[in-house]
Amino acid sequence: MTARDGDAADSAHAERMRRLQAEQRAKVARAANPERGLVLVHTGNGKGKSSAAFGVAARALGWGQRVAIVQFIKGKWQTGERRFFSRFPEQLEWRTTGQGFTWDTQNRELDIATARAGLAIAREFVTGGQFDLVVLDEINVVASYDYLPVAEIVACLEARAARTHVVLTGRGAAPELVEYADLVSEMVEIKHPFQAGIKAQRGIDF
Ligand code: ATP
Ligand code: MG
């Protein structure tokens, strides 16, 4: 390649970059409200949906932001994340609304009432404007069981405070939630130790 070829390649590259930058600026200008809080959905069968949401929460806390975490399905009674986040009482609100879930007894009425109570808390946090980030952990699962009308969840998101980001986690996210969100990531299971009969590990799974 001659020096002149190199110069031509450089200027073609610079031109391409200028075009990309102009397109990006135009996109931002077109977006109705580029400053508005984002809606993120973490779904799929692979592991990492809730832990990625807790990672986002850690980032927000690192910037001194206020975070709320609403758990729609109660997992193990003690988790590392619960223990860790309890170190930030001034910045973080944690509610577990799923303790009434009765997967064993199939008490559908009670499950629906519990889910509704969870959504009422979520709505208060999402719309109130006092949080920079609200994590609705496993809400996708509760919605996929039809315990909560998806339209009500979308209405709650639509009414979110201007600067509040919301993360929804759980398998089987409803198409309406996927459609509404700004960001959707699907965790794909390639391999999981559970398949090899290895049970859940402290620090990795809870
Ligand atoms: P994590 O909380 O580790 O990010 P997750 O939120 O993606 O996982 P859930 O569907 O909420 O996964 O499942 C909760 C529990 O099930 C966790 O203990 C997790 O390790 C385990 N788990 C997640 N994915 C799988 C899988 N593909 N096979 C078996 N167990 C899994
Ligand atoms: Mg999860």
Side-chain angles (χ1 to χ4, degrees):
M1 192 164 74
T2 65
R4 191 177 296 168
D5 289 343
D7 288 349
D10 282 352
S11 83
H13 176 77
E15 177 53 34
R16 221 169 27 244
M17 289 302 117
R18 263 196 299 277
R19 250 199 329 266
L20 277 177
Q21 197 180 39
E23 276 170 25
Q24 184 57 28
R25 286 200 181 128
K27 224 184 264 175
V28 169
R30 271 199 308 275
N33 188 352
E35 300 271 307
R36 194 172 185 197
L38 298 171
V39 174
L40 287 64
V41 168
H42 297 173
T43 193
N45 290 332
K47 173 176 159 62
K49 301 171 287 294
S50 296
S51 40
F54 297 136
V56 176
R59 281 185 171 157
L61 292 177
W63 287 106
Q65 297 181 356
R66 298 206 65 220
V67 176
I69 297 177
V70 182
Q71 270 194 315
F72 281 81
I73 297 175
K74 196 184 178 193
K76 292 191 178 278
W77 68 281
Q78 272 236 42
T79 62
E81 55 269 28
R82 184 77 198 89
R83 291 166 66 106
F84 176 75
F85 285 120
S86 70
R87 297 179 188 180
F88 300 84
E90 272 106 58
Q91 281 171 266
L92 187 119
E93 187 83 43
W94 185 299
R95 297 288 179 85
T96 299
T97 66
Q99 59 265 67
F101 274 97
T102 50
W103 307 105
D104 308 329
T105 56
Q106 298 286 307
N107 188 342
R108 201 177 144 77
E109 295 300 306
L110 181 60
D111 289 345
I112 290 171
T114 304
R116 291 209 147 274
L119 186 61
I121 293 168
R123 194 180 290 118
E124 187 191 317
F125 290 168
V126 166
T127 63
Q130 69 269 51
F131 294 105
D132 301 282
L133 174 74
V134 180
V135 174
L136 305 178
D137 192 37
E138 310 303 346
I139 194 171
N140 297 339
V141 177
V142 174
S144 76
Y145 278 100
D146 276 339
Y147 289 170
L148 289 177
V150 176
E152 268 188 49
I153 300 174
V154 172
C156 166
L157 296 172
E158 181 59 23
R160 72 189 180 279
R163 296 300 181 90
T164 300
H165 302 296
V166 186
V167 186
L168 299 89
T169 85
R171 292 159 193 240
E176 296 91 328
L177 296 175
V178 168
E179 166 70 28
Y180 187 81
D182 298 290
L183 179 153
V184 180
S185 285
E186 180 178 18
M187 306 300 169
V188 177
E189 181 184 313
I190 307 288
K191 204 179 198 182
H192 193 288
F194 184 74
Q195 297 160 344
I198 300 168
K199 65 178 173 51
Q201 304 283 309
R202 187 184 269 195
I204 295 289
D205 295 296
F206 61 89

